[in-house]
């Protein structure tokens, strides 16, 4: 993405905030107007009031300067208030778009993506963009406007001293140029190393079982410590450059002030300038130095934020899945048909499913059996619309996939994956996930059908019991029951169970299937299983072998 494209995309996030931006800019322009009389008041005090011994006049002048300073401070606070409202809203919109992008990415693309990098974009990079936006709107623009106005005051007070101070501008520009390049380089290095660090921390937190099982604690610690110190070196270098940048600018302003003092003092001695004019020039130069200090502070934030903005916008440009919300919703009744469906994850490796045809009638219970790797879970993913077949087609209630909003169908589908997913929160929040507004009575009924009610009753906090990250405090069987209760809660038209005996014993699964068929007689049930007894609870069994359905029949075949 070019800088111009990034700028246009960035500015678009401020749409709808034009009034606030206009007020903020007007207040920013008014800030220097409050400061402009101060140098003239100082000049008048030194040239007229002090020589004349006009104490009341001096007190009045001091009060006026204080009042003007307070007005300027008030305007600065107003600018900051207005600007923060605009900039924080823009950052929130960027984050909303990122979350929407993550939700819309194709499943295969997300599976192979660097999720730690995505997290860095959504969290750290958007924070840097927020800092950049604040530095630009709250700091740089007002300081530049104030600095410009103060420069005009300096010119009016003493053109000679003004042009003398301009001799330092090339040094200021060269410092910004050279150090700016170094800062941009270090920012890019820091972002890259920070992503590696973030990825490593996520790995340590998420793969504890692997680390412990492989006795890899020392190896992992050594690896992460090395990355921590690489990040420390780059971060230290970046901080040192920022400090150097600020100190050099401060030195150049101090040098300019020293030259002004010497030359201006000579002018006063020779009678070419009044003491008030010199003092006024110094006061104005001090105010200008403050504004330029704000500019110097904001520039590194803007440099870092620009790199983060480009990274965020590049992520937002990734192709998403085709939107389905514009398609008509489906009042799904649970009928599914696959017609000569062929599909694989990589065309180089060939298809996983070969010309599969399968029909599920409304209210029918079907057991799908087959060896590991036969393609059973792949078939479920196709039914859920996670992937599209290479050839053939899928239909829901006789309507081809792609002709309706797939989300409306998923809302009428309950899914229990082989590895049951649990989110951070309470038991109630986990079972009701995806079914907002579920009553406690409905939760209890779903728990009863999934044999989760007895577990809830034994817990001191009941439904409000926290489960930890990924259900780390729960056994596999409890996680399975939670997932089944979650699927049941929405009273689905289609219920998909992928290897329910992976974490539950066969008698329990048999009872759950019986409960489902009794309590949800109109729900279509597709059970992926290796167990003969579980398959016997279904109306028929379909065998999948090496991606081909070989025998639909009324009694289960051997599952060996």
């Amino acid at each position: 993405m070019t800088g111009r494209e990034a700028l246009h995309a960035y500015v678009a996030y401020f749409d709808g905030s034009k009034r606030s931006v206009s007020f903020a800019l007007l207040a920013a322009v008014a800030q220097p107007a409050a400061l402009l009389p101060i140098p003239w008041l100082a000049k008048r005090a030194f040239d007229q009031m002090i020589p004349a011994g006009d104490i009341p006049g001096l007190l009045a002048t001091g009060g006026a300067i204080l009042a003007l300073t307070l007005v300027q401070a008030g305007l600065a606070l107003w600018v900051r208030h207005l600007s923060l409202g605009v900039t924080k809203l823009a950052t929130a919109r960027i984050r909303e778009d990122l979350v929407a992008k993550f939700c819309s990415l194709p499943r295969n693309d997300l599976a192979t993506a660097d999720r730690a990098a995505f997290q860095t974009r959504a969290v750290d990079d958007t924070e840097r963009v927020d800092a950049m936006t604040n530095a630009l709107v709250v700091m740089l623009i007002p300081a530049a406007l104030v600095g410009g106005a103060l420069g005009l005051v300096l010119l009016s007070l003493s053109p000679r001293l003004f042009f003398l101070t301009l001799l330092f501008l090339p040094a200021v520009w060269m410092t910004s140029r050279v150090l700016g390049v170094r800062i941009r380089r270090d920012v890019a290095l820091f972002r890259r190393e920070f992503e590696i660090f973030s990825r490593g921390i996520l790995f340590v937190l998420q793969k504890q079982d692997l680390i412990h099982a492989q006795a890899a604690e020392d190896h992992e610690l050594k690896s992460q410590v090395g990355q921590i110190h690489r990040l420390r070196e780059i971060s230290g270098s970046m901080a040192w450059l920022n400090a150097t940048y600020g100190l050099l600018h401060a030195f150049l302003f101090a040098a300019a002030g020293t030259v002004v003092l010497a030359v201006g003092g000579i002018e006063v001695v020779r009678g070419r300038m009044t003491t008030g004019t010199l003092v006024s020039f110094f006061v104005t130069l001090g105010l200008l130095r403050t504004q330029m200090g704000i500019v110097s502070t904001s520039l590194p934030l803007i440099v870092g934020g620009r790199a983060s903005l480009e990274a965020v916008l590049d992520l937002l440009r990734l192709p998403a899945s085709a939107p389905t919300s514009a398609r008509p919703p489906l009042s799904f009744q649970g009928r599914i048909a696959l017609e000569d469906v062929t599909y694989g994850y990589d065309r180089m490796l060939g298809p996983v499913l070969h010309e599969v045809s399968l029909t599920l009638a409304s209210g029918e219970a079907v057991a799908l059996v087959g060896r590991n790797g036969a393609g059973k879970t792949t078939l479920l993913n196709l039914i859920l619309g996670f992937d599209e077949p290479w050839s053939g087609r899928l239909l829901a209630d006789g309507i081809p996939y792609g002709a309706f909003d797939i989300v409306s169908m998923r809302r009428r589908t309950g899914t229990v994956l082989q590895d049951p997913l649990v989110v951070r929160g309470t038991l109630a929040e986990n079972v009701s996930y995806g079914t907002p507004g579920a009553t406690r009575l409905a939760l209890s009924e779903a728990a009863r059908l999934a044999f989760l009610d007895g577990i809830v009753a034994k817990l001191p906090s009941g439904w409000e019991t926290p489960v930890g990250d990924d259900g780390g405090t729960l056994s596999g069987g409890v996680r399975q029951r939670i997932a089944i209760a979650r699927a049941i809660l929405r009273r689905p038209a289609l219920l998909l169970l992928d290897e329910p005996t992976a974490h539950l014993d066969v008698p329990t699964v048999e009872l759950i299937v019986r409960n489902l068929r009794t309590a949800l007689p109109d729900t279509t049930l597709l059970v992926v299983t290796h167990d003969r007894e579980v398959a016997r609870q279904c109306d028929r069994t379909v065998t999948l072998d090496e991606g081909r359905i070989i025998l639909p029949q009324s009694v289960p075949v051997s599952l060996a």
Side-chain angles (χ1 to χ4, degrees):
M1 175 177 288
T2 65
R4 184 180 295 273
E5 290 173 334
L7 178 62
H8 284 305
Y10 171 64
V11 170
Y13 283 102
F14 292 88
D15 287 349
S17 303
K18 293 180 179 178
R19 178 175 294 181
S20 296
V21 172
S22 298
F23 280 140
L25 290 176
L26 285 173
V29 171
Q31 280 190 75
L35 292 175
L36 294 182
I38 292 178
W40 302 107
L41 289 172
K43 181 178 184 299
R44 185 165 176 267
F46 277 89
D47 283 347
Q48 299 177 23
M49 296 176 185
I50 293 177
D54 185 1
I55 295 177
L58 283 172
L59 293 175
T61 300
I65 292 175
L66 181 60
L68 289 169
T69 303
L70 286 174
V71 169
Q72 192 274 335
L75 288 171
L77 283 175
W78 187 36
V79 169
R80 186 169 291 267
H81 173 71
L82 293 174
S83 302
L84 285 175
V86 172
T87 58
K88 294 297 181 181
L89 180 59
T91 302
R93 288 170 175 168
I94 292 173
R95 287 171 172 161
E96 288 174 7
D97 283 354
L98 280 172
V99 174
K101 173 61 66 173
F102 294 155
C103 291
S104 68
L105 285 174
R107 185 168 178 268
N108 285 347
D109 291 353
L110 190 57
T112 58
D114 185 346
R115 299 188 185 189
F118 283 7
Q119 183 187 30
T120 298
R121 299 288 185 279
V123 178
D124 299 287
D125 278 329
T126 56
E127 190 63 24
R128 292 192 195 97
V129 170
D130 183 62
M132 176 196 71
T133 306
N134 279 288
L136 184 65
V137 178
V138 178
M139 298 170 66
L140 181 65
I141 293 177
L145 290 172
V146 173
L150 291 173
L152 294 177
V153 172
L154 289 175
L155 178 62
S156 66
L157 286 170
S158 173
R160 178 178 297 181
L161 292 182
F162 173 76
F163 287 112
L164 191 62
T165 57
L166 289 184
L167 295 177
F168 289 86
L169 282 182
V172 173
W173 179 83
M174 185 60 68
T175 301
S176 301
R177 178 82 174 179
V178 174
L179 291 183
V181 171
R182 289 284 305 279
I183 289 172
R184 283 194 295 272
R185 186 201 66 183
D186 278 9
V187 165
L189 286 174
F190 178 81
R191 289 185 64 261
R192 186 185 67 190
E193 295 300 324
F194 190 88
E195 286 181 5
I196 297 172
F197 170 68
S198 178
R199 190 181 306 121
I201 294 300
L202 281 175
F203 179 86
V204 170
L205 293 174
Q206 294 177 349
K207 305 298 182 183
Q208 281 288 305
D209 290 346
L210 174 64
I211 293 170
H212 294 324
Q214 294 298 114
E217 292 90 346
D218 290 343
H219 166 77
E220 197 60 44
L221 178 61
K222 182 179 179 180
S223 174
Q224 299 308 324
V225 166
Q227 182 57 36
I228 286 169
H229 286 287
R230 282 192 293 273
L231 187 63
R232 172 186 61 82
E233 292 172 0
I234 295 171
S235 178
S237 173
M238 190 165 62
W240 182 84
L241 279 174
N242 286 340
T244 302
Y245 181 76
L247 289 172
L248 281 175
H249 275 203
F251 170 77
L252 290 172
F253 267 97
T258 302
V259 172
V260 166
L261 176 62
V263 174
I266 293 172
E267 293 287 286
V268 171
V269 170
R270 292 178 176 176
R272 297 175 182 172
M273 178 185 295
T274 66
T275 302
T277 300
L278 180 59
V279 171
S280 180
F281 197 95
F282 255 101
V283 170
T284 308
L285 190 62
L287 294 173
L288 179 60
R289 177 178 177 178
T290 300
Q291 301 306 315
M292 292 302 99
I294 294 174
V295 171
S296 297
T297 302
S298 67
L299 286 179
L301 297 175
I302 293 170
V303 170
R306 176 184 171 184
S308 291
L309 175 66
E310 291 174 355
V312 168
L313 293 176
D314 284 341
L315 176 55
L316 289 173
R317 287 163 62 93
L318 290 177
S321 300
T324 65
S325 56
R327 301 168 188 168
L330 178 68
S331 299
F332 186 44
Q333 301 303 310
R335 291 184 287 120
I336 292 291
L338 286 79
E339 297 179 350
D340 298 322
V341 168
T342 297
Y343 173 76
Y345 297 99
D346 190 323
R347 292 187 181 272
M348 296 286 291
L349 299 176
V352 175
L353 299 176
H354 303 264
E355 299 179 349
V356 170
S357 294
L358 174 66
T359 300
L360 305 177
S362 181
E364 182 183 24
V366 176
L368 181 64
V369 302
R371 297 181 178 87
N372 289 333
K376 304 185 296 297
T377 299
T378 300
L379 189 147
L380 293 187
N381 290 338
L382 288 175
I383 290 175
L384 287 167
F386 288 165
D387 303 301
E388 296 182 2
W390 293 354
S391 62
R393 64 176 186 163
L394 291 93
L395 302 96
D397 291 348
I399 302 174
Y401 279 40
F404 58 85
D405 179 5
I406 191 68
V407 175
S408 65
M409 175 193 153
R410 290 175 186 155
R411 290 196 181 104
R412 296 275 294 149
T413 302
T415 306
V416 180
L417 303 175
Q418 187 171 351
D419 183 14
L421 300 178
V422 177
V423 300
R424 182 174 184 83
T426 64
L427 277 172
E429 289 168 340
N430 268 274
V431 174
S432 63
Y433 184 80
T435 311
T439 65
R440 189 54 57 92
L441 180 63
L443 286 174
S444 298
E445 175 62 14
R448 183 186 68 80
L449 295 175
F451 288 90
L452 180 65
D453 53 339
I455 295 171
V456 175
K458 292 178 182 177
L459 295 170
S461 300
W463 282 108
E464 300 309 313
T465 302
V467 302
D469 287 331
D470 298 324
T473 63
L474 307 174
S475 68
V478 174
R479 292 201 302 272
Q480 192 90 31
R481 286 179 170 90
I482 289 174
I484 293 172
R486 180 192 300 143
I488 295 170
L489 181 64
R490 60 176 52 188
R491 314 295 289 186
L494 171 65
L495 182 56
L496 306 175
L497 302 180
D498 191 2
E499 297 290 2
T501 56
H503 299 283
L504 295 173
D505 58 79
V506 173
T508 299
V509 174
E510 287 184 60
L511 290 172
I512 289 174
V513 172
R514 288 176 191 170
N515 279 349
L516 294 176
R517 301 211 64 192
T518 301
L520 305 172
D522 297 327
T523 295
T524 305
L525 180 63
L526 179 60
V527 184
V528 172
T529 182
H530 282 88
D531 191 89
R532 185 191 309 273
E533 297 305 317
V534 173
R536 289 185 190 279
Q537 306 302 316
C538 299
D539 297 321
R540 62 188 173 101
T541 298
V542 174
T543 301
L544 195 62
D545 185 31
E546 294 185 354
R548 291 180 171 85
I549 289 183
I550 59 171
L551 185 62
Q553 58 181 40
S554 59
V555 295
V557 298
S558 171
L559 306 182

